[in-house]
Amino acid sequence: MTDAKPTRYAFFRDLFLGMIGLALGRLFPTLHVAPKDLTGKIAVITGANSGIGFQIALDLTKQGAIVYLACRSQSKAEQAISEIVKQVPGSDSRLRSLVLDTSSLISVKEAIEGLKRDVPLIDILVHNAGIGTGSTTEVGFTQERLPVVYATNFLGSFLMTHLLESHLADDAHVVLTTSTGQYAGRFSSDFALKPVYDKVEMGFHCPPASPDSLTRDSSLYSNTKSMQCCFAKLLRDRWQRIAAAQGKVNKRYVNAFTPGFTFTPIFEKVSKRPFAEDPSFWLLRMTASWIGTHVSQGAATGVWLSTTVDKMVLSRENGGGYWERMSRRVSTADMIGREKLERLWVRWEKDAGVEWR
Ligand SMILES: NC(=O)c1ccc[n+]([C@@H]2O[C@H](COP(=O)([O-])OP(=O)(O)OC[C@H]3O[C@@H](n4cnc5c(N)ncnc54)[C@H](OP(=O)(O)O)[C@@H]3O)[C@@H](O)[C@H]2O)c1
């Protein structure tokens, strides 16, 4: 079953709304997420020591969940746990740290093996870890010879979900923190179906023919964020296919959301260069502090998608979707043809070194 492709009008309307959200989000009405009783539910959140991931961990802890903070640094995870315990007294027995570096396939495998020994089923999985990119940052490559931005922001989540699939509850919620930047993501029709090492591939890692795409990290970011939206759509299809083959109705949710422009430490990290060498990112940092929304607002849609039982969200039409301010929006993934979407999945499998059909 394929979805009806949204009109170009709907796409550009939602792109326009996304831009307005970035500029004026701070002036919008406050989002309120109705608290649920998550007692006994197990949540795993990547990048939970800072910014939006920390806020989601805090909110889910307040609602009674057992929360695994999956972070690349043990000490940062422990610091975040102490901070949550200060705000939610008595929650220490429900908070666990998990050392996991999303940019490393080996680290993801090791962490997930340990996690699977520790927990029977996961109810909430939030793929939030991510890095922003500086306009002057040279593209770096991981020990597995893949672009760092691609591995960190996307491929680690793909592998993690694959490895955890058998440990997801029948009504699990999987949430991806994407970005309004996904609107700039573009893929060619003929990118490679096998890994490309130590090199940026135009039309896959970054949009085709984007200026500086082979040397600058900034042009890779939007494609990783668009991949998250494509993955949500393809994973929903997979789960619906499996449920249908078993004569059941799929009850697993997977969705991506944009936090809009949220003032978090990410803007401290994008570029370490002095103002004269990277003025655009100094400007971005200052703008974030002036007009970025509070982190509780940036995280709200993610918290809502992690906990909602709203049938509207689970419906085929909306599931696997892209959300902004708790509203379904058209994303780049909705505009991509089936064949290209499926090519993406094949390439991710090869890059992650797994077969996942
Ligand atoms: N803030 C915004 O306006 C905005 C807008 C659009 C999208 N986003 C997305 O929101 C997500 C969260 O960002 P944020 O704004 O909350 O920034 P943040 O405060 O910097 O949080 C990012 C988190 O991801 C972690 N992380 C980075 N690389 C990792 C790796 N290789 N393995 C494991 N964890 C890693 C960071 O760990 P360290 O503390 O060790 O660096 C940190 O915990 C990101 O995916 C970002 O792209 C943010």
Side-chain angles (χ1 to χ4, degrees):
M1 188 180 179
T2 51
D3 302 305
K5 199 170 171 181
T7 59
R8 284 171 69 79
Y9 163 75
F11 176 78
F12 283 110
R13 178 201 59 207
D14 287 359
L15 165 61
F16 177 71
L17 289 174
M19 296 302 133
I20 299 283
L22 291 182
L24 301 177
R26 215 174 193 168
L27 306 177
F28 288 173
T30 305
L31 294 169
H32 294 287
V33 182
K36 301 273 181 318
D37 179 4
L38 301 181
T39 307
K41 299 277 183 200
I42 296 178
V44 178
I45 304 158
T46 64
N49 60 287
S50 175
I52 293 155
F54 175 82
Q55 184 69 38
I56 296 176
L58 175 64
D59 286 3
L60 298 186
T61 307
K62 283 183 183 163
Q63 296 177 50
I66 297 164
V67 178
Y68 281 77
L69 290 88
C71 308
R72 56 180 159 178
S73 143
Q74 175 78 26
S75 63
K76 284 188 189 174
E78 280 167 9
Q79 228 175 310
I81 288 177
S82 308
E83 188 52 45
I84 293 177
V85 173
K86 265 192 230 156
Q87 299 192 42
V88 191
S91 61
D92 35 343
S93 61
R94 293 189 282 112
L95 294 167
R96 323 242 153 101
S97 62
L98 178 71
V99 176
L100 186 152
D101 179 343
T102 58
S103 73
S104 157
L105 300 176
I106 293 173
S107 166
V108 169
K109 280 182 199 153
E110 284 175 0
I112 298 307
E113 269 167 32
L115 183 64
K116 280 170 40 173
R117 282 195 294 272
D118 215 27
V119 293
L121 285 177
I122 291 157
D123 301 284
I124 300 170
L125 173 59
V126 184
H127 295 297
N128 165 81
I131 46 174
T133 54
S135 61
T136 58
T137 324
E138 299 292 321
V139 171
F141 294 89
T142 65
Q143 56 181 348
E144 282 118 2
R145 301 162 55 205
L146 299 166
V148 173
V149 183
Y150 165 59
T152 306
N153 290 4
F154 179 71
L155 195 66
S157 323
F158 178 82
L159 178 62
M160 215 177 140
T161 319
H162 165 65
L163 296 174
L164 280 177
E165 193 179 37
S166 58
H167 270 61
L168 291 178
D170 285 345
D171 58 353
H173 292 52
V174 176
V175 176
L176 298 108
T177 312
T178 178
S179 163
T180 312
Q182 58 82 18
Y183 280 115
R186 294 280 178 278
F187 304 100
S188 319
S189 309
D190 59 351
F191 54 77
L193 291 179
K194 56 184 187 351
V196 170
Y197 294 116
D198 300 320
K199 218 168 91 179
V200 171
E201 185 186 355
M202 276 205 200
F204 178 71
H205 295 125
C206 65
S210 61
D212 287 339
S213 50
L214 301 182
T215 51
R216 303 284 177 235
D217 253 356
S218 51
S219 56
L220 277 66
Y221 181 79
S222 52
N223 270 28
T224 63
K225 293 292 158 184
S226 182
M227 283 181 197
Q228 291 181 298
C229 300
C230 296
F231 179 49
K233 206 175 171 71
L234 288 163
L235 190 58
R236 171 209 61 176
D237 290 351
R238 172 183 166 76
W239 287 341
Q240 291 198 335
R241 234 176 18 242
I242 291 173
Q246 295 171 346
K248 294 182 187 163
V249 176
N250 173 47
K251 290 194 177 137
R252 284 179 177 169
Y253 296 63
V254 50
N255 285 290
F257 78 101
T258 174
F261 197 18
T262 306
F263 186 44
T264 69
I266 204 167
F267 299 103
E268 302 295 314
K269 302 174 190 170
V270 284
S271 173
K272 304 276 181 226
R273 300 193 182 205
F275 177 80
E277 288 177 29
D278 204 350
S280 58
F281 274 83
W282 277 86
L283 194 61
L284 178 68
R285 242 175 270 177
M286 283 189 288
T287 313
S289 68
W290 294 330
I291 67 168
T293 57
H294 188 268
V295 69
S296 62
Q297 288 300 290
T301 304
V303 174
W304 173 68
L305 288 170
S306 300
T307 56
T308 184
V309 287
D310 190 334
K311 294 245 176 340
M312 180 271 292
V313 182
L314 186 60
S315 67
R316 171 151 187 108
E317 189 188 324
N318 289 319
Y322 167 71
W323 300 78
E324 180 180 354
R325 290 186 55 81
M326 294 160 69
S327 296
R328 177 72 164 88
R329 299 272 198 249
V330 176
S331 75
T332 41
D334 297 314
M335 306 305 284
I336 295 177
R338 196 75 219 165
E339 204 180 318
K340 205 189 279 187
L341 276 177
E342 281 167 11
R343 273 182 79 88
L344 283 169
W345 188 280
V346 173
R347 173 65 180 273
W348 297 332
E349 279 183 305
K350 301 283 181 205
D351 280 348
V354 296
E355 280 194 20
W356 189 15
R357 294 299 155 94

